[in-house]
Amino acid sequence: MLIIDKIKSNPPSVLVFGDIMLDEFIIGRVDRISPEAPVPIVMGEDSLTAIGGCGNVIRNLFNIGVNINLVSAVGDDVTGEIIKKKIAKMGLKLDGLSICKETKSTRKMRVIAERQHVVRVDWDSNGSGKLDSDKILDSVSKNLQYSDGIIISDYDKGLCTKEITSFLIKEAQKNQINVFVDPKGKDWAKYSGATLITPNLKEAEVIIGNSISNDKDVESAGRKICDLFNIKTCIITRGAEGISVINDSQCLHIPSNAREVFDVSGAGDTVIACLTSALLSGIDLIQAVTFANCAAGLVVGHIGTVPVRMDELRSIEF
């Protein structure tokens, strides 16, 4: 049986907590340089919008076929309204999405031409404004009881505070629920006690304070991260070098299977979504990591922040 079929046969419920945002893509071609400045003129041909940040984790989970409980926040603004409508269109509940009047929603606009990023423009909450922490903590408590596992998708936009993140992990421990973290920023103490963490190479280097150049360095970094933050397993994503699994019992390096790499944005979201879904469905760790690695190798062949599709998941055999 394919892993995706095993997941779909008894889909788990996943609580996704993290920074949600709006991804906008303007797609076109470049024929000439502007006479006003030495910059390309992009002739627009298409545009699209999608939920990003932890929203891209949700899109991956949605395509995988698991049940989703969302806890996040947006501002009381136009971008927030668009995000709400897109979530509702997926058939997901909005009761875990807080509307914070004193903050603003994050929006990222990418201009793409000839399959290459030309520029990105951000309208960033960046922790500005005031969160309704009591309301978010209440949403965490309510949704936790209906969840088999938790993904913390931290994009360092202000939602994943130490207070809320630590509370979530402690409550999960009390209820024997596994917590899977896609980290960001420099304060990883707030992730202490999580089950599994999935930093990329650069994020791991920042936390341990050393460069990582080979498998031995990766293993040392993974062990240090696990020890520092009392985390059982560290999975380091390494781009073209693949993915590494480090815990007390093993260190394993799985090469990338990406045929072509056009855009790595969103690959980490695919990894955490596929990995969590597989583990909660009873797949062993190495098979789950291999499944997630294969899925990430597929999405980097697309332009933009794209979730893995069901037909692509069905093509994964190993």
Side-chain angles (χ1 to χ4, degrees):
M1 179 184 286
L2 294 173
I3 287 180
I4 185 59
D5 289 331
K6 187 167 183 179
I7 295 171
K8 287 181 68 64
S9 66
N10 186 25
S13 294
V14 181
L15 168 58
V16 179
F17 169 71
D19 303 290
I20 199 163
M21 59 190 72
L22 186 69
D23 283 341
E24 182 178 2
F25 299 91
I26 297 175
I27 302 165
R29 70 182 192 279
V30 174
D31 294 326
R32 61 195 178 100
I33 300 299
S34 172
E36 301 167 352
V39 295
I41 294 176
V42 178
M43 300 298 293
E45 296 177 333
D46 198 6
S47 65
L48 60 92
T49 57
I51 49 173
C54 83
N56 193 47
V57 176
I58 290 169
R59 292 165 67 205
N60 278 279
L61 292 172
F62 183 83
N63 287 357
I64 293 167
V66 306
N67 302 307
I68 302 163
N69 301 313
L70 169 66
V71 176
S72 189
V74 293
D76 186 16
D77 48 31
V78 173
T79 298
E81 283 297 318
I82 295 172
I83 291 170
K84 283 171 57 180
K85 288 178 182 178
K86 288 186 175 295
I87 294 170
K89 192 173 181 179
M90 296 172 73
L92 304 181
K93 294 180 180 179
L94 290 168
D95 56 351
L97 184 67
S98 298
I99 311 301
C100 298
K101 295 184 180 295
E102 295 185 45
T103 189
K104 65 178 180 179
S105 306
T106 295
R107 174 184 165 208
K108 296 182 178 181
M109 183 181 72
R110 298 170 175 89
V111 180
I112 299 170
E114 316 299 336
R115 299 179 73 86
Q116 297 291 327
H117 279 270
V118 176
V119 69
R120 193 179 91 182
V121 182
D122 288 6
W123 291 264
D124 205 341
S125 66
N126 203 27
S128 62
K130 183 180 177 182
L131 291 171
D132 188 343
S133 295
D134 289 341
K135 186 176 181 180
I136 294 168
L137 289 169
D138 185 56
S139 292
V140 165
S141 298
K142 287 179 179 177
N143 283 277
L144 191 70
Q145 59 186 312
Y146 303 111
S147 303
D148 301 306
I150 299 165
I151 292 175
I152 297 175
S153 178
D154 191 349
Y155 271 79
D156 199 24
K157 301 302 178 187
L159 181 69
C160 298
T161 63
K162 186 170 185 177
E163 177 194 8
I164 299 172
T165 303
S166 298
F167 173 82
L168 175 55
I169 293 173
K170 287 176 183 176
E171 289 300 301
Q173 289 174 330
K174 289 179 186 177
N175 291 276
Q176 297 183 317
I177 298 173
N178 288 328
V179 180
F180 309 92
V181 179
D182 191 357
K184 193 72 72 177
K186 297 180 180 179
D187 178 19
W188 287 17
K190 62 185 177 182
Y191 308 134
S192 293
T195 309
L196 183 150
I197 194 165
T198 62
N200 61 35
L201 207 61
K202 184 177 179 180
E203 290 164 343
E205 287 179 332
V206 169
I207 290 302
I208 66 167
N210 292 310
S211 62
I212 300 172
S213 57
N214 53 48
D215 288 352
K216 186 177 179 180
D217 291 343
V218 169
E219 293 169 14
S220 177
R223 288 195 178 98
K224 186 172 183 179
I225 289 168
C226 288
D227 290 342
L228 281 172
F229 306 110
N230 188 29
I231 294 174
K232 293 178 181 178
T233 300
C234 180
I235 293 176
I236 299 179
T237 56
R238 303 170 61 186
E241 297 298 317
I243 195 166
S244 297
V245 183
I246 305 101
N247 57 29
D248 284 343
S249 60
Q250 61 191 332
C251 293
L252 184 66
H253 309 286
I254 302 170
S256 172
N257 71 329
R259 296 175 184 175
E260 292 183 286
V261 178
F262 289 111
D263 193 343
V264 297
S265 59
D269 299 327
T270 298
V271 167
I272 196 82
C274 289
L275 181 59
T276 299
S277 300
L279 289 172
L280 293 179
S281 298
I283 308 298
D284 72 72
L285 177 62
I286 300 307
Q287 278 194 315
V289 173
T290 304
F291 173 65
N293 187 47
C294 290
L298 293 168
V299 299
V300 297
H302 300 294
I303 292 291
T305 308
V306 179
V308 67
R309 303 190 310 263
M310 179 56 69
D311 62 311
E312 292 176 318
L313 291 167
R314 290 197 177 282
S315 73
I316 297 175
E317 295 185 51
F318 49 86

